[in-house]
Amino acid sequence: MRQQPQQLPPQQQQQQQHVGGEHVIGASGDFITAPEVSELFGESLLVWLITQYQTLGNPSKIQLIEIGPGKGTLICDVLRSALTTFPDFAAALTSSSNGATSGEGGKKKVAVGVHLVEVTDGMRSRQKESLQKLQGETTVMEKGFSFSFDDSESEIDDVQEQEPSNDKQIEQSNAISINWHDLLSSVPTHDAETGEPIPTFIICQELLDALPIHSFQKIEGGQWRERLVDVAVRDKEEESSEVTKIKQAAGRMKYSDAESEDSITESTSTSSSTAQEKGAKKLPRLRFVLPPDTTPALRTLLRVSGSGSPLEGNPTAEALNALPTGSVVEACPEGLLLAQDIADRIEKCNGGAALLIDYGEDGASSRDTMRGFWRHTQVHPLSRPGEVDVTADVDFAALRESVNQRIGLEESLKRKHFTDT
């Protein structure tokens, strides 16, 4: 029996729920994504999936992976449309005995079917709830399909135990296995019985923009510094005076403030007003700062020297040198590694396709794109720690470059063009 969690204060409960993603998406959360607006988005994605599926010759066994499934809305829309409109694609996701050994105790993990890569138990519960509702829809039941849930990697309660009728239904119909994973690498790639690779189709909807980034800012002298996060205990007047001391601070080998006066005011407005109302002492806040020296991430990702100047042979040196002082360049190593892992998986599975959907630019931006959203309002990304959704634009050119030596990928499509066609 699971131990009951300790009751937390309301504010800590809200922060925990936000970190777990339980109350982030939707009208009552911080933002709304395309799948939450209309199921037409998922149906459009299925058309693309069917095109890729037919290009591979309509394989009899496939796997469908979604990384960062949110509330499960998109995968439900895709499956609903597939079950009712493209039965061959849906049937390729079903298998009664297929599996792949995981290595521990000979336990088998199903390779064919649907795989959701999700790290939080709160969101897994929401996804499972959405899929169970889909399973009970009349149109799905009439087609003779059902879902078999395997969430052995998570600690969420199994709602299926309270619905024995579903187990009977799964035995009598074509069951699509639904599996949860912490990592993409834990999704099996080969059929345990035949040893053959299973063609894989991967969807990644507005995940890359939420991955951590490194932010670099150009200072005087053509040098670059990494923007770091620091804690400050000051009021507005002191912060305004600090802004005018950035140049002197850099010269004295101290950390300088990386924010403008406007952004400082924005990030401190909540804390300062609260402190003044209560007559309290000055409250700490988070702020962006520039270190006096270069960091390993700066030297590695931006390819600069110890002083912060672009190295000789750096293919981006000309572009970096042409940017004016104060410009900001961002890099997302985790996004590049994810794109490479996806490309490697497609190659290992001897076929498949991946669709990465997000907002950004076809190349690095020269501005600060990191921003926060709280209750559908844009706020300072460092305000309300643990309660704000932080996002940054995606560099699609960098993503293509990271995989161009591994596998051939189609050119990025603007979302409007994709949905219009």
Side-chain angles (χ1 to χ4, degrees), residues 80-113:
R80 181 186 297 105
S81 184
L83 294 172
T84 57
T85 312
F86 298 98
D88 291 344
F89 183 86
L93 291 170
T94 66
S95 179
S96 59
S97 60
N98 174 265
T101 57
S102 63
E104 292 187 10
K107 179 183 177 181
K108 288 188 176 182
K109 291 185 178 180
V110 176
V112 173

Side-chain angles (χ1 to χ4, degrees), residues 180-197:
W180 279 268
H181 306 267
D182 291 329
L183 301 170
L184 176 62
S185 59
S186 69
V187 181
T189 57
H190 287 65
D191 189 318
E193 296 178 351
T194 66
E196 295 295 323

Side-chain angles (χ1 to χ4, degrees), residues 210-227:
L211 296 178
I213 66 168
H214 289 270
S215 181
F216 310 111
Q217 184 169 327
K218 190 172 186 180
I219 63 175
E220 290 189 353
Q223 298 177 339
W224 290 84
R225 293 292 184 268
E226 182 172 9
R227 287 157 55 95

Side-chain angles (χ1 to χ4, degrees), residues 349-361:
C349 292
N350 198 29
L355 183 60
L356 281 62
I357 306 171
D358 229 304
Y359 50 87
E361 301 182 26

Side-chain angles (χ1 to χ4, degrees), residues 196-352:
E196 295 295 323
I198 303 297
T200 182
F201 299 91
I202 302 175
I203 299 175
C204 200
Q205 154 69 12
E206 289 195 27
L207 170 71
L208 297 172
D209 67 276
L211 296 178
I213 66 168
H214 289 270
S215 181
F216 310 111
Q217 184 169 327
K218 190 172 186 180
I219 63 175
E220 290 189 353
Q223 298 177 339
W224 290 84
R225 293 292 184 268
E226 182 172 9
R227 287 157 55 95
L228 305 177
V229 178
D230 188 23
V231 178
V233 184
R234 298 182 176 91
D235 57 24
K236 293 182 181 179
E237 293 182 0
E238 289 174 318
E239 288 294 355
S240 297
S241 64
E242 280 293 314
V243 174
T244 62
K245 300 178 182 178
I246 292 179
K247 298 179 183 179
Q248 294 89 334
R252 294 193 301 270
M253 297 298 288
K254 293 182 179 180
Y255 284 80
S256 59
D257 206 309
E259 301 177 271
S260 67
E261 184 174 354
D262 291 339
S263 62
I264 288 174
T265 301
E266 180 185 356
S267 64
T268 58
S269 58
T270 301
S271 297
S272 297
S273 60
T274 303
Q276 291 174 3
E277 290 175 2
K278 297 182 178 181
K281 295 181 179 180
K282 301 170 186 177
L283 299 177
R285 71 169 184 88
L286 299 178
R287 62 170 183 169
F288 290 113
V289 296
L290 301 176
D293 298 316
T294 58
T295 61
L298 172 63
R299 295 191 295 271
T300 301
L301 297 175
L302 220 57
R303 303 177 192 176
V304 300
S305 64
S307 64
S309 300
L311 292 169
E312 293 184 9
N314 183 344
T316 63
E318 183 177 353
L320 293 175
N321 290 330
L323 293 175
T325 299
S327 298
V328 174
V329 173
E330 299 164 341
C332 181
E334 290 193 24
L336 303 181
L337 292 174
L338 177 60
Q340 291 174 350
D341 289 344
I342 290 174
D344 288 341
R345 167 171 285 271
I346 292 175
E347 194 170 23
K348 184 184 299 183
C349 292
N350 198 29

Side-chain angles (χ1 to χ4, degrees), residues 42-113:
E43 294 172 355
S44 299
L45 263 60
L46 178 63
V47 173
W48 179 85
L49 287 170
I50 295 300
T51 302
Q52 308 305 316
Y53 172 72
Q54 294 175 343
T55 300
L56 292 178
N58 297 356
S60 59
K61 295 181 179 180
I62 61 174
Q63 62 179 198
L64 176 61
I65 303 174
E66 184 177 4
I67 308 175
K71 295 164 60 177
T73 305
L74 178 59
I75 193 65
C76 284
D77 291 342
V78 170
L79 289 176
R80 181 186 297 105
S81 184
L83 294 172
T84 57
T85 312
F86 298 98
D88 291 344
F89 183 86
L93 291 170
T94 66
S95 179
S96 59
S97 60
N98 174 265
T101 57
S102 63
E104 292 187 10
K107 179 183 177 181
K108 288 188 176 182
K109 291 185 178 180
V110 176
V112 173

